[in-house]
Amino acid sequence: MPHPYVLLSAAVSLDGYLDDTGPERLLLSGPADFDRVDEVRASVDAILVGAGTLRADNPRLLVNSPERRAARLAAGRPEYPLKVTVSGSGDLDPAARFWHTGGEKVLCTTDKGAERARALGLAADVVPLGPELDWRRLLEHLHDVRGVRRLMVEGGGRVHTQLLTQGLADELQLVLAPLFVGDADAPRLFGPGAYQGGRLRLVETRPVGDVVLTRYEPTAPGTGELPSAADHHWLALACELAAQCPPSRTAFSVGAVVVAADGTELARGHSREGADPVVHAEEAALARTDPADPRLAGATVYSSLEPCARRASRPVPCSRLILDAGVRRVVTAWREPDTFVAGADGSAVLADGGATVVVLPEHEDRAKAPNGHLTGR
């Protein structure tokens, strides 16, 4: 199911702390960065914090700029983003500023937590998610029921850790403040967990007053049938590659990317690239990999269109090429229609060969765009 775009936002000291242990909250950012955060808040549909942050900081989570609030209203959006908190117990202070400022509020909790929250009379829409908290179910609810397309997560460290280790964070916006905390009992941004093994992608770095903003995107593919946020990034790239294909009346325009389990891009390709007028995207990408590369066994192939099961131009279809390369996971946006091959079903070939096929239909329109002359769209 579709999820919102999840943006993690945090500020830390040079030694990686979110706060110190004093009675007052440690202000890590300065005026320029507070204004930047206000701008980001104004751009999203919802802001989320965990129960620990609610208890420790008692935040309001408002868009402070009147001009930004007016711009939201002029665009037909609520004056303030939806405010969301997450608590397994539902045991939260009904007098907290979170409930009594801004616009609509949602508490996502467990079935038992919902009973407690309703008994407390919290000024929020209480959403029970089952016997345990489930982040995927929570994100699906926000997307499908509340219409959230961009979600800003402002803490705390436990929430950020869970979203990153479960592959559900699309972006990390991290501000580094020029000071040290040095207290082992102070809260850190990230706790222990099964993070991706490779490097994240640096999107941006810039000074904001006396702090430095860095923006990163996770790169590691998901595992099995569960998609990760990075799966969406890589499939979007495959769709961009499809748009680079020379147009054809007899073949689809397709893009493909091969990515190792640690998020390292191994190869990419697109249909009819170079001097080969019949090469397929997956074929072109795999031709650039080393057949002996042990990373292929754990890699994912991203293809804007389902890999072919049969083809006239070459003896081996792309679904078989993928299996022969040792790849056992494929993510695609669009199942192949019967335009050129009746009963095309590359996914069945891949599944019969032991591969997992994940379809992300949110990207279907982008995959179809360079093929509009073939599909009539």
Side-chain angles (χ1 to χ4, degrees), residues 14-95:
L14 289 175
D15 49 349
Y17 289 96
L18 287 167
D19 201 350
D20 58 19
T21 54
E24 301 296 328
R25 180 188 173 196
L26 176 66
L27 296 181
L28 293 163
S29 295
D33 189 57
F34 287 133
D35 186 65
R36 181 197 63 83
V37 170
D38 195 64
E39 182 179 24
V40 177
R41 286 180 179 178
S43 73
V44 301
D45 302 303
I47 304 169
L48 182 148
V49 294
T53 298
L54 205 63
R55 297 183 185 107
D57 296 344
N58 195 20
R60 290 187 291 263
L61 300 180
L62 303 178
V63 175
N64 294 312
S65 165
E67 293 78 14
R68 290 173 182 142
R69 297 199 304 271
R72 286 178 61 90
L73 290 170
R77 306 172 72 189
E79 183 177 9
Y80 295 98
L82 177 72
K83 296 199 298 189
V84 184
T85 191
V86 183
S87 168
S89 68
D91 187 11
L92 296 167
D93 182 1

Side-chain angles (χ1 to χ4, degrees), residues 7-371:
L7 184 163
L8 308 186
S9 176
V12 295
S13 64
L14 289 175
D15 49 349
Y17 289 96
L18 287 167
D19 201 350
D20 58 19
T21 54
E24 301 296 328
R25 180 188 173 196
L26 176 66
L27 296 181
L28 293 163
S29 295
D33 189 57
F34 287 133
D35 186 65
R36 181 197 63 83
V37 170
D38 195 64
E39 182 179 24
V40 177
R41 286 180 179 178
S43 73
V44 301
D45 302 303
I47 304 169
L48 182 148
V49 294
T53 298
L54 205 63
R55 297 183 185 107
D57 296 344
N58 195 20
R60 290 187 291 263
L61 300 180
L62 303 178
V63 175
N64 294 312
S65 165
E67 293 78 14
R68 290 173 182 142
R69 297 199 304 271
R72 286 178 61 90
L73 290 170
R77 306 172 72 189
E79 183 177 9
Y80 295 98
L82 177 72
K83 296 199 298 189
V84 184
T85 191
V86 183
S87 168
S89 68
D91 187 11
L92 296 167
D93 182 1
R97 294 185 296 187
F98 179 92
W99 316 111
H100 303 289
T101 56
E104 293 186 72
K105 297 93 182 172
V106 171
L107 166 63
C108 293
T109 183
T110 61
D111 294 340
K112 289 186 177 179
E115 295 177 7
R116 179 174 293 175
R118 288 170 179 147
L120 289 170
L122 297 180
D125 177 17
V126 178
V127 179
L129 297 173
E132 304 290 338
L133 286 174
D134 183 326
W135 278 107
R136 290 181 184 270
R137 188 174 177 188
L138 183 156
L139 294 175
E140 288 169 9
H141 173 83
L142 292 180
H143 182 280
D144 296 344
V145 178
R146 303 306 302 243
V148 175
R149 297 298 179 263
R150 288 184 65 85
L151 173 67
M152 182 181 187
V153 180
E154 294 199 33
R158 183 179 180 185
V159 170
H160 283 154
T161 296
Q162 290 175 348
L163 288 168
L164 270 176
T165 56
Q166 293 182 38
L168 297 173
D170 292 274
E171 179 181 341
L172 171 62
Q173 292 192 2
L174 181 63
V175 163
L176 191 62
L179 53 84
F180 294 92
V181 172
D183 187 338
D185 294 326
R188 286 187 175 274
L189 174 55
F190 297 121
Y195 296 97
Q196 75 164 75
R199 303 171 75 88
L200 279 68
R201 180 185 300 109
L202 179 64
V203 178
E204 178 188 10
T205 179
R206 62 183 167 95
V208 184
D210 70 343
V211 304
V212 175
L213 167 69
T214 54
R215 295 174 52 221
Y216 291 97
E217 291 177 351
T219 58
T223 56
E225 296 181 353
L226 286 178
S228 70
D231 284 332
H232 291 276
H233 292 296
W234 289 116
L235 189 55
L237 173 58
C239 292
E240 291 176 11
L241 292 170
Q244 298 178 19
C245 298
S248 171
R249 287 285 177 184
T250 59
F252 290 109
S253 293
V254 183
V257 190
V258 186
V259 182
D262 67 354
T264 301
E265 180 181 329
L266 300 180
R268 63 174 69 183
H270 61 78
S271 305
R272 300 177 296 282
E273 66 173 67
D276 191 339
V278 297
V279 71
H280 284 196
E282 304 93 332
E283 178 186 20
L286 288 170
R288 293 189 173 97
T289 64
D290 179 355
D293 191 335
R295 295 175 295 178
L296 287 172
T300 296
V301 167
Y302 297 89
S303 180
S304 60
L305 176 66
E306 176 186 44
C308 62
R310 298 187 299 280
R311 61 189 293 190
S313 58
R314 295 276 161 79
V316 183
C318 291
S319 53
R320 178 51 56 188
L321 291 174
I322 290 169
L323 293 172
D324 290 347
V327 176
R328 292 297 180 265
R329 186 170 186 267
V330 175
V331 177
T332 185
W334 178 29
R335 298 294 296 270
E336 184 179 356
D338 293 344
T339 308
F340 301 116
V341 178
D345 193 359
S347 295
V349 175
L350 290 163
D352 288 345
T356 298
V357 180
V358 180
V359 181
L360 300 180
E362 306 96 299
H363 299 268
E364 183 173 319
D365 287 345
R366 293 186 66 184
K368 287 181 174 179
N371 297 287

